[in-house]
Amino acid sequence: MRACTKLISSTHPTLHFAHPTLESFIWNTLIRAHFQAGSRAELLTHTPLNVFLRMRFHRVKPDFHTFPFLLQSFNSPPHFQSGKQIHAQALLYGLANDPFVQTSLINMYSTCGNLMLARQVFDEISQPDLPSWNSIVNANVKVGLIDVARKVFDEMPERNVISWSCMINGYVSCGEYKEALALFREMQMVEANGVRPNEFTMSSVLSACGRLGALEHGKWIHAYIGKCGMEVGVVLGTSLIEMYAKCGIIERAKWVFDNMGPHNKDVMSWSAMISGLAMYGHAEECLELFTEMTSYGVRPNAVTFLGVLCACVHGGLVSEGKEYFRRMSEEFGITPLIQHYGCMVDLFGRAGLIQEARNLVNSMPMDPDVPVWGALLSGSRMHGDIETCEIALRKLIELDPTNSGAFVLLSNVYAKMGRWADVRHVRDLMEARGIKKVPGCSLVEVGGVLHEFFVGDDSHPETKEIYKMLDEIMKRLKMEGYVGNTNEVLLDLDEEGRELALSLHSEKLAIAFCFLKTSPGTPIRIVKNLRICSDCHVAIKVMSRVFDREIVVRDCNRFHHFKGGLCSCKEYW
DNA sequence: GTAGGGTTAG
């Protein structure tokens, strides 16, 4: 108890004499102090729960102020059992009807993944106030029930910035980026009612722009931030870096990064810039930045190393990658996560060091997951190591029987070797198991409007013109000596049919659309959900030369910057 | 004469 008073008098120097509620005040303050310290460092040996139990041991009655911080302490890491116990305690002391306690309960239950109990608490509130509504919206978001969240959101009697931010962020976190942007537009329409977006909102919206590759939208948001006089702090700065990097304007990302000043950047800002450069294949610059970061005394974390290793992968820097992987744990004390092992397997695989990749997979301390086997598969596929391919495939099917990617890759290997019977077999297997290929999809923004194209898509209003344009482009390419590389087509078609299937790839449709809609010389930016295939890669290279266009394609892996018949990546030839 | 609830990134 002496320690308590000492701690409190250091933060509240005026508290020197007794007060009727002083005792519970001291305990409550102590709970808060432990909660706040716990999230920063493990300096204190006790947890808020621990303090609460001692409080009860001393027969001090908790009051309204006791529970909120106590409940919050079970959010990270989530601790359902303790949370439930404390809920029972709040009921016991007749404090569970307090709106502050109820909101904390909703949050606690939802972060512990128990939506039912969160909902129960909410339903028992006769007149929920704004924070309770926001909490229940967010509770649905957290468990991924975005439609339910939206329904609750629409039912709310009133909404504030937080409600809107929660909902927009919800859409972003479940991958519905276009919905997020739509909701943001809706939000601006009610802006007249006094709801104005803040830093939180902008960060989510920027993230949506980045994922979509919607540069025009992103630029607009950037301008809007300036217009509102919003300060570009660490968080917004980092979001902007990420947005520009993901939209393919690495120079702009660097510009934002440099303008943040060396002392306003945290690990995340550095990491965002590092992974941005990595995605772009600028390996040397990326590694330099890492060195610069450490020279400013910013400690890299696991995410930073993910970016660094990723740079080594795209730059084909095997020995550097090995060195960073070693330093990561030895010098910085960071235990490699499964993603880091995935990077290393990818690094070895691409370099053709299949045996080394296999050794790593077999010796890693955790069970290899889908991305790890996937990296081994694509590496061995790249170098025609059928045996390793088959091993990886078997594991992939074991882990995720609905994963179409593995089947597609393996069938591509067979196709490359002309083993059409095996291709057929894989395809039958997929059919028998009801596995659908994830359809290729390309996104492009023209004049601030997003257009989406699927493989062989004919749903676009201007589909006729698009196909006509595509036809012309392909004719011109053929005149230039381009021959469709049909090795990667899954279907067992004759040569002409296969070539046709290739020409319908979504990125080609998107490019045809851009040729139709943009003036000559305008750079074309496309975002693709899958990896770009080698045929498209060749075709786009030729296009960039013949039509003198800069074409930037972001696939699920990295950027491909086509210019004058060349690509920035070293993955295809 | 003190204290409590709702949103962030990879």
Side-chain angles (χ1 to χ4, degrees), chain A residues 289-361:
Chain A
L289 204 64
F290 176 81
T291 314
E292 198 186 327
M293 165 181 179
T294 49
S295 78
Y296 277 110
V298 180
R299 269 193 88 75
N301 62 18
V303 181
T304 322
F305 275 101
L306 228 43
V308 169
L309 293 179
C310 187
C312 296
V313 169
H314 292 312
L317 307 172
V318 179
S319 56
E320 284 87 344
K322 270 164 114 172
E323 178 63 9
Y324 280 106
F325 189 71
R326 184 192 63 77
R327 282 178 68 192
M328 173 178 171
S329 44
E330 284 179 17
E331 192 176 322
F332 296 97
I334 301 166
T335 315
L337 302 173
I338 194 150
Q339 288 96 321
H340 297 100
Y341 284 98
C343 275
M344 294 309 286
V345 172
D346 204 5
L347 182 67
F348 291 141
R350 277 168 203 261
L353 303 168
I354 307 295
Q355 197 49 51
E356 206 152 336
R358 277 174 70 164
N359 291 345
L360 188 62
V361 170

Side-chain angles (χ1 to χ4, degrees), chain A residues 58 64 78 81 83 118-119 127 362 368 378 384 391 402 426 450 460 547:
Chain A
H58 289 283
F64 290 123
Q81 288 307 331
R119 185 81 225 188
Q127 287 257 310
N362 292 331
S378 66
I391 293 175
T402 61
V426 173
L450 292 165
H460 196 277
F547 299 97

Side-chain angles (χ1 to χ4, degrees), chain A residues 33-223:
Chain A
H34 281 265
F35 169 68
Q36 287 168 344
S39 59
R40 273 182 274 112
E42 274 94 50
L43 288 175
L44 303 168
T45 44
H46 297 293
T47 61
L49 176 62
N50 224 305
V51 179
F52 176 74
L53 294 176
R54 281 167 59 211
M55 174 181 186
R56 287 207 28 223
F57 177 79
H58 289 283
R59 307 205 177 273
V60 179
K61 260 181 78 175
D63 59 21
F64 290 123
H65 304 291
T66 311
F67 290 99
F69 277 130
L70 184 54
L71 286 166
Q72 274 181 74
S73 73
F74 306 127
N75 288 348
S76 68
H79 205 298
F80 178 66
Q81 288 307 331
S82 306
K84 227 165 101 175
Q85 269 175 33
I86 295 304
H87 186 181
Q89 291 288 316
L91 283 165
L92 195 72
Y93 287 100
L95 296 166
N97 282 327
D98 180 67
F100 286 67
V101 174
Q102 284 164 327
T103 309
S104 307
L105 281 168
I106 295 173
N107 282 324
M108 182 276 294
Y109 280 133
S110 64
T111 40
C112 293
N114 195 323
L115 182 66
M116 220 182 67
L117 286 176
R119 185 81 225 188
Q120 216 173 65
V121 173
F122 180 77
D123 287 341
E124 279 164 13
I125 306 174
S126 54
Q127 287 257 310
D129 60 1
L130 203 39
S132 325
W133 277 104
N134 289 339
S135 297
I136 198 71
V137 167
N138 205 32
N140 284 292
V141 163
K142 273 182 215 156
V143 294
L145 292 173
I146 193 73
D147 295 331
V148 182
R150 182 57 190 263
K151 216 173 139 256
V152 178
F153 177 81
D154 288 337
E155 279 169 11
M156 286 174 77
E158 54 166 337
R159 303 176 193 99
N160 64 1
V161 216
I162 297 177
S163 331
W164 287 93
S165 304
C166 276
M167 199 61 230
I168 291 173
N169 180 49
Y171 278 124
V172 175
S173 63
C174 73
E176 301 199 25
Y177 310 120
K178 276 163 104 179
E179 275 306 318
L181 294 184
L183 194 64
F184 176 66
R185 266 193 294 276
E186 213 178 297
M187 176 182 186
Q188 284 179 300
M189 291 201 244
V190 299
E191 217 178 278
N193 307 339
V195 183
R196 304 206 65 187
N198 61 14
E199 214 185 31
F200 289 84
T201 332
M202 291 324 222
S203 165
S204 298
V205 174
L206 282 172
S207 168
C209 294
R211 306 298 176 102
L212 287 168
L215 179 62
E216 294 302 317
H217 277 80
K219 274 182 176 167
W220 189 88
I221 301 292
H222 192 176

